[in-house]
Amino acid sequence: MKQNKSKKGVWIALVCIILLLAVIVVLENVLKPTSMLFPVLKKGAVYSLVAVSLNLLNGFTGLFSLGQAGFMLLGAYTYAILTVPSATKESVYYLYGGSAVKFALQEVLAPPIPGGEVIGLILGVALAIILAGLVAAGFAYLIGLPVLRLKSDYLAIATLGFAEILRAVFQWDALGPVTNGANMLKNFPTFTSFNVKNAGGAVVLRLSTFVPFLVAILCITVIVLLINSSYGRAFKAIREDEIAAEAMGINLARHKMLSFCVSSFFAGVGGALLAMYSNQVQAKPFTSAMTYEILLIVVIGGIGSVSGSCIASFLYIACSEWWLRFLDSEMVLSSGFKVPLLRNGFRMVVFSVVIMIVVLFFRRGIMGDKELPDLFRQRKNRKEAAR
């Protein structure tokens, strides 16, 4: 009976995902491409993936890490370095006389057949995103060997320090032929590169919002499957009580390292997606403030809730970059009355107040430690009890 219910739940989730992706494609091709809805959806999808990856570590394993921005930086740079077209490397790396990486993955993987460039683009971008995650996971493994011996605030300080050191290293002039120093990396494939065009170059099908949603959904699905596996149960046991978990035969070092590396892998993938969203990569934005943003999203959504992290990501991006944007511009009514306080910077003041209200009244976050299916299940149980 339980097996039938689980299969039914999987099919319902699959149908919902397909419908969501279909709605995204329809909206993108019906509404104006200049609508603020699409930047919010794209960045929300990227941040939801990174927030869920941080929730895996902080919420489900109980490890307080603040190095997410560093792993995102690794992913973003790995993706950009491997996909900058060979024809534009001289102009991008003009201060260093060209790049030390002489190839672009999408060009190497493009088969010599009609339409080979499209196949090369898809394969090259997919491989670059995977390599971005692997590089982040590789660094996480090396850092985790000494750092995961620490606990609580000490672990947070160590990972935060790693992220800041990494940001400084990537701007080091000696690494300029690879990272372009403190300068921007650009001209690599972005989300708009996946728009379908006709022979005249006009866009006939827009997929620039569909792509980040597809990648984010696939990655979050993998994380959910991991959480619901035996490894996920071990993570939760470590979160609740390390001594009891070890007494039950759980290898603490192994499972902590696994959680840390998996979280970093998907943070690296998120960094690659953020590079595609921003159309450029530079080490300067990957500060501790970015990690605090992701951590804030996790807290608002609910520590230990994947659904909460996803919902909070879109709400956070929509409020900070769309719904409250009018507060930054002066407003004069028809009567000539000038609305007070409305000026540049007031948006962030109101946004901070909104966040404080949410944290005060929803101390466990919007979802707490529950998922969306749990809410529907509770409602069904209430109806049955009422009958």
Side-chain angles (χ1 to χ4, degrees), residues 63-354:
L63 299 177
F64 188 32
S65 170
L66 292 177
Q68 218 70 356
F71 298 119
M72 291 175 70
L73 181 146
L74 284 168
Y77 267 91
T78 301
Y79 173 81
I81 290 168
L82 294 176
T83 56
V84 173
S86 302
T88 62
K89 285 185 183 289
E90 291 292 334
S91 61
V92 173
Y93 290 86
Y94 68 95
L95 290 177
Y96 303 97
S99 172
V101 181
K102 303 298 182 183
F103 64 91
L105 284 179
Q106 67 272 23
E107 297 170 359
V108 173
L109 298 176
I113 58 174
E117 291 182 0
V118 177
I119 298 173
L121 174 67
I122 296 172
L123 294 177
V125 168
L127 181 58
I129 290 174
I130 294 171
L131 290 174
L134 290 175
V135 168
F139 271 82
Y141 179 80
L142 296 176
I143 295 161
L145 291 174
V147 165
L148 290 180
R149 299 173 185 271
L150 304 173
K151 294 181 180 180
S152 187
D153 298 342
Y154 299 104
L155 176 60
I157 294 169
T159 51
L160 181 63
F162 152 75
E164 290 299 315
I165 291 170
L166 199 62
R167 188 166 64 91
V169 168
F170 268 71
Q171 297 180 85
W172 187 25
D173 203 52
L175 292 177
V178 179
T179 64
N180 207 24
N183 306 295
M184 294 181 186
L185 287 173
K186 52 187 178 180
N187 296 337
F188 47 80
T190 61
F191 294 142
T192 56
S193 303
F194 292 90
N195 290 336
V196 180
K197 300 178 181 179
N198 58 20
V203 177
V204 295
L205 182 64
R206 300 184 186 279
L207 297 174
S208 60
T209 308
F210 170 82
V211 171
F213 263 82
L214 179 63
V215 176
I217 287 172
L218 290 175
C219 293
I220 291 172
T221 300
V222 173
I223 295 175
V224 171
L225 291 175
L226 177 65
I227 291 171
N228 292 326
S229 68
S230 58
Y231 289 103
R233 290 189 286 273
F235 295 158
K236 293 173 185 176
I238 293 171
R239 176 192 64 190
E240 298 300 329
D241 193 323
E242 289 190 7
I243 297 174
E246 192 170 24
M248 290 190 296
I250 295 173
N251 189 322
L252 295 183
R254 178 187 170 191
H255 284 84
K256 283 183 179 181
M257 181 65 77
L258 177 63
S259 177
F260 193 52
C261 290
V262 171
S263 174
S264 303
F265 174 87
F266 288 110
V269 172
L273 295 179
L274 188 62
M276 297 176 73
Y277 167 78
S278 303
N279 300 332
Q280 62 186 25
V281 172
Q282 195 174 17
K284 189 177 179 180
F286 292 91
T287 61
S288 56
M290 181 177 286
T291 299
Y292 299 149
E293 277 187 340
I294 305 300
L295 182 61
L296 182 61
I297 288 171
V298 172
V299 173
I300 291 174
I303 298 176
S305 172
V306 174
S307 304
S309 296
C310 295
I311 294 170
S313 298
F314 288 101
L315 290 176
Y316 180 88
I317 299 300
C319 287
S320 62
E321 300 194 7
W322 186 13
W323 295 339
L324 300 178
R325 181 69 66 178
F326 71 95
L327 296 173
D328 276 348
S329 56
E330 293 184 352
M331 184 182 298
V332 180
L333 301 179
S334 57
S335 60
F337 175 74
K338 186 177 179 180
V339 180
L341 299 178
L342 295 185
R343 64 190 68 179
N344 189 29
F346 186 62
R347 170 174 58 95
M348 295 311 298
V349 175
V350 175
F351 184 58
S352 301
V353 172
V354 170

